[in-house]
């Protein structure tokens, strides 16, 4: 029976320069430079901005040996200026660059998807067992010399699997699945173990939060089964920018951190790299604070659960403390909660929830009962009613009421209850076969909108990723965040978990030294032109490394193809190649058939 309590997974300690990770070390935060690695001055300046923002590792891309060699100049300049922060080389396609970088920087990231099998097209569709075994031996022949160099220079490595860049061989046997991602990683890990090389960190990422969380959980289980405990680097790739990027990252990373999984994180935003660090630190600080708060342990037995229907989740918006009840026409909540504040004008044509004692029986009005209204709600014959209880109030009599009145929607309050207690109660209700709809309520006291987004997305993510609840009700007890913004956050969490699509979705990479166009400006232009296309997925990717793969389920894609050139995709098909950057946004709109 798994415990519902924050407890870090015990991982192996890995030494990355002067800042170790894993073991008993805190969760580390990091970012990646997006300058050209050949531009020493610009790269050093950006590294310093990341470090001064609190970044504990800085990664730079090294497309080839030339870029890998220039990491020495970047490193030396930083050291002369007093910055000892470890540097990480990011390698794709080029084992020679990896070997060069291993003698210069403190850690090298390699991608199993392209370290040995760089080309997917014309790949064999089926492999015999003998052919498959020979391919594994090719990995060994390529990987072991690299590990030997890392041993010599005490260089750590990151085995970084990306959903968008699995090798053709893995795809031929497993397809584009979590199982394939995990096996891609395990092939390399087994060789590391056989070679007694333990200075290894693992990442296994996707732009889809459900795929990312599912795959990391599967990887941890597979490592446990094979006696491995390597530390994990967490991230949601191509999360985007602004509120969407923060919510999506907090949903994926936060869900796993709450489960004790994760030793270092990177929040991938399509913004300046140093902007990622405060978001990452806020997320880590919030979740790890549970460790210091004397938390109680709850039991979350997930066996014999009655699985919930995957209905579209309900959104309740709290407008009880404001007079202006204007609701965005793009994100209309299912219910507006007014509490006792029913004197001022009510929004037209919207369903209203009011406290039981002021309920006025209007056509679109519904009472909210609480524990103190027990006599009233037990006698109520209304066809629909809401019952708000915190975890401690869910005793046997009230559970029996839910069983007897399946039309009652339970709002599970966070008043005095932490995330783990709420999760334990939801599991209990499911085990007991209670099929009433359950709305997750979370109450905050935030003055800062970004912190509200991060905390609420981290808290609520697992409930929707694992299909545990049927709706969301966010509240904030200060007036610092307008109700409309809280409502937007609710819809953003449901979109990030894939449970309710209410707007255009952008799969946008954070850019790096491989990106040869202004991704941030381009993303803003594409958003401005396509934001009204509800449900459409558009990929905006800096290069071909992960681009076509990560946006495989996108409807359209904009992918960097070279200096000032862009390829455009419709689904998985490249429909226009080498479009000049100046014309590419307009051409994308024509592909989507939008009139400018």
């Amino acid at each position: 029976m798994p415990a519902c309590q924050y407890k870090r997974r015990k991982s192996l300690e890995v030494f990355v320069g002067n800042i170790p990770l894993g073991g008993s070390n805190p969760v580390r935060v990091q970012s990646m430079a997006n300058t050209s690695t050949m531009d020493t001055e610009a790269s050093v300046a950006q590294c310093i901005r990341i470090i001064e923002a609190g970044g504990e590792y800085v990664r730079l891309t090294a497309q080839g040996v030339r870029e890998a060699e220039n990491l020495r100049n970047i490193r030396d300049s930083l050291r002369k200026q007093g910055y000892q922060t470890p540097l990480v080389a990011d390698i794709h396609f080029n084992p020679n660059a990896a070997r060069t970088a291993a003698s210069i920087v403190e850690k090298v990231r390699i991608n199993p998807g392209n370290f040995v099998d760089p080309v997917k097209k014309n790949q064999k569709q089926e492999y015999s067992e003998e052919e498959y075994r020979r391919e594994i031996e090719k990995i060994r022949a390529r990987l072991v010399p690299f590990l030997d160099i890392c041993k010599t220079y005490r260089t750590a490595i990151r085995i970084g699997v990306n959903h968008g860049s699995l090798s053709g061989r893995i795809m031929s046997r497993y397809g584009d699945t979590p199982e394939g991602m995990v096996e891609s990683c395990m092939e390399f890990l087994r060789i590391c173990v056989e070679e007694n090389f333990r200075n290894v960190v693992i990442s296994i990422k996707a732009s889809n939060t459900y795929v990312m969380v599912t795959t990391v959980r599967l990887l941890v289980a597979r490592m446990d089964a094979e006696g491995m405990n390597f530390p994990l680097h967490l991230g949601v790739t191509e999360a985007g920018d602004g509120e969407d990027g923060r919510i999506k990252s907090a949903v994926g990373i936060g869900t796993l951190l709450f489960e004790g999984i994760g030793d270092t994180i990177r929040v991938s935003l399509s913004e300046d790299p140093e902007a990622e660090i405060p978001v990452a630190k806020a997320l880590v600080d919030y979740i790890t604070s549970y460790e210091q708060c004397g938390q109680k342990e709850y039991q979350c037995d997930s066996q014999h659960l009655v699985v919930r229907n995957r209905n579209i989740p309900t959104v309740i918006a709290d407008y009880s403390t404001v007079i202006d009840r204007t609701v965005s026409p793009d994100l209309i909540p299912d219910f507006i909660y007014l509490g006792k504040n029913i004197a001022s004008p009510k929004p037209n044509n919207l369903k209203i929830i009011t406290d039981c004692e002021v309920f006025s029986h209007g056509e679109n009005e519904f009472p909210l009962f609480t524990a103190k209204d027990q006599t009233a709600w037990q006698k109520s014959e209304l066809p629909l009613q809401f019952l708000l209880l915190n975890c401690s109030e869910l005793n046997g009599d009230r559970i029996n009421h839910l069983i007897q009145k399946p039309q009652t929607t339970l709002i599970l309050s966070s008043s005095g209850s932490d995330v783990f207690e709420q999760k334990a109660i939801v599991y209990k209700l499911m085990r007991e076969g209670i099929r009433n709809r359950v709305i997750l309520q979370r109450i905050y006291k935030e003055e800062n909108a970004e912190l509200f987004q991060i905390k609420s997305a981290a808290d609520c993510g697992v409930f929707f990723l694992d299909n545990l609840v049927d709706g969301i009700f966010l509240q904030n007890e200060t007036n610092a965040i307008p109700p409309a913004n809280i409502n937007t956050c609710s819809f953003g969490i449901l979109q990030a978990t894939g449970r309710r699509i209410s707007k255009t979705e952008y799969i946008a990479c954070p850019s790096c030294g491989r990106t040869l166009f202004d991704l941030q400006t381009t993303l803003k232009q594409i958003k401005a032109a396509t934001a009204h296309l509800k449900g459409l997925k558009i990929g905006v990717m800096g290069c071909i490394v992960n681009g076509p793969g990560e946006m495989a389920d996108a409807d359209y894609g904009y992918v960097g193809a070279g200096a000032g050139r862009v390829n455009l995709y419709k689904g998985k098909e490249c429909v226009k190649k080498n479009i000049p950057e100046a014309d590419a946004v307009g051409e994308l709109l024509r592909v989507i058939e939008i009139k400018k």
Side-chain angles (χ1 to χ4, degrees), residues 221-237:
R222 186 72 56 81
M223 283 200 294
D224 287 347
E226 299 193 24
M228 301 179 189
N229 64 334
F230 293 102
L232 284 157
H233 167 131
L234 302 181
V236 177
T237 60

Side-chain angles (χ1 to χ4, degrees), residues 356-418:
C356 176
E357 62 265 35
V358 296
F359 177 55
S360 59
H361 297 264
E363 181 179 354
N364 288 325
E365 296 181 15
F366 304 90
L368 178 68
F369 296 98
T370 64
K372 66 183 177 64
D373 307 311
Q374 182 160 344
T375 301
W377 57 256
Q378 283 179 331
K379 294 180 178 179
S380 174
E381 299 299 329
L382 293 170
L384 173 67
Q385 56 184 268
F386 292 89
L387 175 59
L388 186 148
L389 299 172
N390 64 41
C391 296
S392 64
E393 293 171 330
L394 265 171
N395 56 30
D397 288 344
R398 287 163 186 154
I399 288 177
N400 286 334
H401 167 82
L402 293 172
I403 294 172
Q404 293 166 11
K405 293 194 174 184
Q407 78 275 16
T408 300
T409 295
L410 172 65
I411 298 177
L412 188 60
S413 172
S414 64
S415 177
S417 307
D418 64 28

Side-chain angles (χ1 to χ4, degrees), residues 414-429:
S414 64
S415 177
S417 307
D418 64 28
V419 169
F420 294 109
E421 186 176 12
Q422 283 185 299
K423 188 176 179 182
I425 288 294
V426 170
Y427 273 110
K428 178 180 179 181
L429 295 173

Side-chain angles (χ1 to χ4, degrees), residues 22-39:
S24 60
N25 295 291
V27 177
R28 306 295 189 184
V29 298
Q30 58 179 283
S31 184
M32 182 174 182
N34 61 15
T35 52
S36 167
T37 308
M38 294 306 298
D39 189 337

Side-chain angles (χ1 to χ4, degrees), residues 151-183:
K151 288 177 182 178
T152 299
Y153 288 92
R154 297 184 177 180
T155 306
I157 71 170
R158 171 156 70 97
I159 297 173
V161 179
N162 275 22
H163 190 212
S165 55
L166 295 177
S167 72
R169 178 180 54 80
I170 287 289
M171 292 283 286
S172 73
R173 177 161 291 193
Y174 295 93
D176 190 12
T177 63
E179 290 78 7
M181 295 170 71
V182 169
E183 185 58 26

Side-chain angles (χ1 to χ4, degrees), residues 62 123 305 337 453 466 501 504 547:
Q123 198 88 23
L305 294 183
Y337 172 66
Q453 294 160 10
D466 289 351
I501 306 304
T504 315

